[in-house]
């Protein structure tokens, strides 16, 4: 397994990926540049497969288990959940978990200032790619 990450990736994350047997390549100043290289490498190798780090229903299901843990860990009703939004995978998982648990808390999506692709996409009604 090869994983392409940007220079902003923490050493701890790289070490964890490598400890799991991944070959890690550090490339680019940001996620978009690392993703472009990953897609380019996959396009050149018919045996390779691109797996999105956020746009994948299997990942969403994995993320959804955080809601199970919250529901099991507290006895009070959940009024709200604040979710960090980057690619949207965690948000999809939290929504999936809430649906499975039969709960409807307010879900607040929060983004990093300067990286508001979700907010811009929501306003535009279409996918937005950040520069």
């Amino acid at each position: 397994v090869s994983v392409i990450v940007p220079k902003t990736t923490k050493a701890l994350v790289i070490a964890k990926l490598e400890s799991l047997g991944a070959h890690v390549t550090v490339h680019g100043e940001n996620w978009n540049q690392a993703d472009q290289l990953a897609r380019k490498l996959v396009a050149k190798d018919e045996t390779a497969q691109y797996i999105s780090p956020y746009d994948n229903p299997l990942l969403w299901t994995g993320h959804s288990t955080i809601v199970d843990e919250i529901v099991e860990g507290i006895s009070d009703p959940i009024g709200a959940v604040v979710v960090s939004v980057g690619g949207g995978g965690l948000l999809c998982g939290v929504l999936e978990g809430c649906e499975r648990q039969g709960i409807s808390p307010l879900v607040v999506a929060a983004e990093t200032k300067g990286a508001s692709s979700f907010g811009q996409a929501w306003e535009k009604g279409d996918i937005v790619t950040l520069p």
Side-chain angles (χ1 to χ4, degrees), residues 1-6 9-27:
V1 173
S2 294
V3 179
I4 316 297
V5 297
T9 305
K10 294 182 184 338
L12 177 66
V13 172
I14 294 170
K16 181 65 174 176
L17 290 167
E18 290 174 337
S19 77
L20 294 170
H23 170 73
V24 179
T25 300
V26 178
H27 174 82

Side-chain angles (χ1 to χ4, degrees), residues 4 30-40 50 53-54:
I4 316 297
N30 56 45
W31 183 85
N32 287 337
Q33 292 175 356
D35 186 61
Q36 287 173 356
L37 176 62
R39 290 174 187 267
K40 181 179 174 182
Y50 176 83
Y54 57 85

Side-chain angles (χ1 to χ4, degrees), residues 6-125:
K7 293 178 184 177
T8 55
T9 305
K10 294 182 184 338
L12 177 66
V13 172
I14 294 170
K16 181 65 174 176
L17 290 167
E18 290 174 337
S19 77
L20 294 170
H23 170 73
V24 179
T25 300
V26 178
H27 174 82
E29 298 300 321
N30 56 45
W31 183 85
N32 287 337
Q33 292 175 356
D35 186 61
Q36 287 173 356
L37 176 62
R39 290 174 187 267
K40 181 179 174 182
L41 293 172
V42 168
K44 290 181 178 180
D45 181 352
E46 64 183 42
T47 66
Q49 183 174 358
Y50 176 83
I51 299 173
S52 172
Y54 57 85
D55 190 13
N56 185 311
L58 182 60
L59 294 173
W60 305 340
T61 298
H63 295 323
S64 76
T65 63
I66 193 170
V67 177
D68 302 334
E69 294 174 22
I70 292 169
V71 168
E72 291 170 10
I74 63 172
S75 57
D76 294 327
I78 300 169
V81 179
V82 179
V83 181
S84 175
V85 178
L90 181 59
L91 176 61
C92 287
V94 167
L95 294 172
E96 179 181 316
C98 288
E99 183 177 336
R100 183 178 58 251
Q101 287 288 339
I103 60 174
S104 300
L106 172 67
V107 177
V108 178
E111 293 184 287
T112 303
K113 187 175 181 177
S116 60
S117 59
F118 181 77
Q120 291 178 42
W122 185 271
E123 289 177 13
K124 185 178 177 184

